[in-house]
């Protein structure tokens, strides 16, 4: 097996598992998402090692990337799934994950979604309000199917992350306020067809200061210990995800520090733990390949216009996100400072602003790094643009895992009414 991840060969050409990226772009066209299964496996095994000394299970956070082949590959490695919609549930089942390994999270579960999940015996519901509990109780009683319930606690912790991916503060829509958790957890024990199984927490994504994890997990454990002391059963704790990954360098996620926190708090405990990593398993395993359409130079700016756009990768304009961007082949040592932009008719359609990059010309290829998570999954057809093609490289062979819609496919979803 060649080296893991995306790397440059002796000619400074970008490769994956011994295959030149340029040859994949020639074969499939651009824009093109490429996923490296070897890096996905390496990250999963590291996470597995991180929790091996506690009683823990990994449930892949499907919202990070819901491609069937990616879900299926993590399932093959031993993963369960963490979902936030019944659509994600259906994708997981289609990918081969048993409902008994699926955690249904999310603040907005519709009653129809709850009923489908109950009838399919999902592992547990992570609920976020007493009102949601009332809905589940009514449906489970009507169906006479027991629902396993975990309360998601809002610990009112503000990790140092982007405000749009911070979920642990009381001002957000997520979780149950600390002061209400005990009364609601006691209520679980009084309801028919409701099985209380524990507490959960998820304070957000892209967390690098692991003191926030420690405080959130410690609060959760102390709360669970208190409930157990008072005679209530709390067999499981769901610790969510959120480990930060580096978008602007090759530093690996800090699983070592995370492992220390988990062991310090839970090594000798009886709690069954659930972990829900997403980004830390898949982000670095993906790249988006795009073709340079042309350079445009004005008095004040240099623009590199490419064929990928915000409908393929909205993170830069939505989250002010940074992605490394580099030529597939280094053909010039000269550097320019440019905005790298797409064809969409929005000023916000950019992939990088004022970025230093090697000079490129029309038809050159660029790789946008670390696009395995929250990239393709947030795609749209804005400006009547079709999806990017997606492939996975597995065992040194490339496989197309998602068919790109044609414009005819997009048009076929619509119907023209008859006007008088």
């Amino acid at each position: 097996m060649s080296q893991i991840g995306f790397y440059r060969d002796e000619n400074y050409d970008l490769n994956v598992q011994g295959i030149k990226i340029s040859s994949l772009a020639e074969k499939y066209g651009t824009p093109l998402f490429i996923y490296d299964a070897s890096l996905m496996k390496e990250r999963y095994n590291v996470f597995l090692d991180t929790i091996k000394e506690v009683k823990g299970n990994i449930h892949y956070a499907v919202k990070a990337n819901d491609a069937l082949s990616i879900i299926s590959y993590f399932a093959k490695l031993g993963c369960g799934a963490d979902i936030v919609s019944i659509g994600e549930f259906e994708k997981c089942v289609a990918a081969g994950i048993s409902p008994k390994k699926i955690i249904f999270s999310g603040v907005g579960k519709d009653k129809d979604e709850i009923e489908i999940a109950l009838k399919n015996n999902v592992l547990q519901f992570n609920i976020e309000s007493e009102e949601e509990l009332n809905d589940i109780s009514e449906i489970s009683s009507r169906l006479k199917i027991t629902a396993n319930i975990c309360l998601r606690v809002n610990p009112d912790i503000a990790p140092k992350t982007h405000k749009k991916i911070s979920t642990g503060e009381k001002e957000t829509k997520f979780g149950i306020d600390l002061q209400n958790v005990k009364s609601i957890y006691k209520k679980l024990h009084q309801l028919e067809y409701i099985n209380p199984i524990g507490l959960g927490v998820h304070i957000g994504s892209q967390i690098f200061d692991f003191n926030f994890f420690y405080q959130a997990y410690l609060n959760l454990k102390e709360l669970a210990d208190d409930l157990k002391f008072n005679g209530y059963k709390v067999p499981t704790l769901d610790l969510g995800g959120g480990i930060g990954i580096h978008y602007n360098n090759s530093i690996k996620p800090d699983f070592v520090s995370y492992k220390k926190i988990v062991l310090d708090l839970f090594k000798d405990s009886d709690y069954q733990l659930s972990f829900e990593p997403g980004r830390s398993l898949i982000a670095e395993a993906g790249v988006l390949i795009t073709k340079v359409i042309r350079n445009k130079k004005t008095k004040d700016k240099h623009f590199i216009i490419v064929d990928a756009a915000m409908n393929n990768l909205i993170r830069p304009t939505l989250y002010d996100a940074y992605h490394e961007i580099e030529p597939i082949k280094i053909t010039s040592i000269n550097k320019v400072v440019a905005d790298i932009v797409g064809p969409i008719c929005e000023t916000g359609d950019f992939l990088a602003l004022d970025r230093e990059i090697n000079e490129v010309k029309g038809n050159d290829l660029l790789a946008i790094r670390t696009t395995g998570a929250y990239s393709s999954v947030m795609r749209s057809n804005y400006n009547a643009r079709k999806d990017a093609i997606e492939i996975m490289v597995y065992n040194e062979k490339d496989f197309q895992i998602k068919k790109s819609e044609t414009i005819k496919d997009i048009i076929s979803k619509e119907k023209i009414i008859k006007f008088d």
Side-chain angles (χ1 to χ4, degrees), residues 317-332:
T317 194
L318 182 64
Y319 298 128
D320 306 307
Y322 179 97
H323 289 267
E324 288 279 0
I325 303 178
E326 59 188 322
I328 299 299
K329 295 182 178 181
I330 305 295
T331 58
S332 173

Side-chain angles (χ1 to χ4, degrees), residues 355-381:
R355 183 68 59 85
E356 184 177 76
I357 188 171
N358 294 77
E359 278 186 337
V360 290
K361 58 184 184 301
N363 294 319
D364 283 354
L365 299 172
L366 301 179
I368 306 170
R369 293 269 197 166
T370 325
T371 50
Y374 303 106
S375 300
S376 165
V377 75
M378 300 177 80
R379 67 193 176 276
S380 75
N381 295 123

Side-chain angles (χ1 to χ4, degrees), residues 140-287:
S140 61
S141 295
R142 172 168 52 82
L143 297 175
K144 294 181 168 52
I145 299 173
T146 298
N148 296 326
I149 301 296
C150 173
L151 299 190
R152 177 177 176 177
V153 178
N154 184 317
D156 195 21
I157 289 175
K160 298 173 184 175
T161 187
H162 195 285
K163 64 180 181 179
K164 292 183 180 179
I165 55 175
S166 179
T167 62
E169 299 140 284
K170 64 182 180 181
E171 293 84 6
T172 71
K173 65 182 179 180
F174 298 101
I176 298 169
D177 289 345
L178 274 172
Q179 64 266 28
N180 298 327
V181 171
K182 288 183 181 179
S183 62
I184 296 175
Y185 202 80
K186 292 173 183 177
K187 181 178 177 178
L188 296 179
H189 290 73
Q190 301 163 1
L191 295 172
E192 194 176 11
Y193 296 105
I194 294 294
N195 178 34
I197 63 165
L199 305 173
V201 68
H202 176 68
I203 57 174
S205 298
Q206 280 299 87
I207 297 168
F208 293 97
D209 185 344
F210 285 9
N211 290 320
F212 292 110
F213 282 130
Y214 184 87
Q215 192 59 55
Y217 295 171
L218 177 62
N219 291 352
L220 193 73
K221 183 176 183 295
E222 288 178 343
L223 185 57
D225 289 344
D226 183 65
L227 286 166
K228 288 175 70 174
F229 179 78
N230 285 283
Y232 298 96
K233 59 177 184 176
V234 192
T236 69
L237 296 178
D238 189 324
L239 302 185
I243 296 174
I245 64 105
H246 296 269
Y247 282 89
N248 59 350
N249 54 49
S250 59
I251 300 173
K252 295 181 179 181
D254 188 6
F255 291 111
V256 174
S257 296
Y258 187 74
K259 181 176 184 177
K260 185 178 186 304
I261 289 171
V262 171
L263 294 185
D264 283 350
L265 291 173
F266 300 109
K267 185 175 182 181
D268 298 317
S269 81
D270 294 327
Y271 293 110
Q272 177 68 45
L273 305 176
S274 298
F275 299 86
E276 294 160 1
R279 191 192 310 259
S280 61
L281 297 184
I282 185 65
E284 296 164 281
V287 296

Side-chain angles (χ1 to χ4, degrees), residues 287-304:
V287 296
L288 173 59
I289 308 305
T290 184
K291 181 184 71 175
V292 175
I293 296 174
R294 66 180 61 88
N295 285 270
K296 174 184 175 180
K297 299 177 184 178
T298 69
K299 178 183 176 183
D300 301 310
K301 296 287 289 187
H302 182 164
F303 298 95
I304 299 173

Side-chain angles (χ1 to χ4, degrees), residues 47 72 75 86 98 109 120 136 152 178 231 288 321 341 352 360 395 403 419:
F47 202 104
S72 180
I86 211 64
S98 166
K109 306 177 194 70
N120 284 277
I136 294 177
R152 177 177 176 177
L178 274 172
L288 173 59
V341 301
V360 290
N395 283 349
K403 187 174 83 170
F419 299 99

Side-chain angles (χ1 to χ4, degrees), residues 49-65:
D49 179 74
T50 300
I51 65 169
K52 69 180 181 182
E53 296 178 57
V54 296
K55 295 190 297 182
N57 298 313
I58 299 174
H59 297 264
Y60 168 60
V62 172
K63 64 181 180 290
N65 190 316

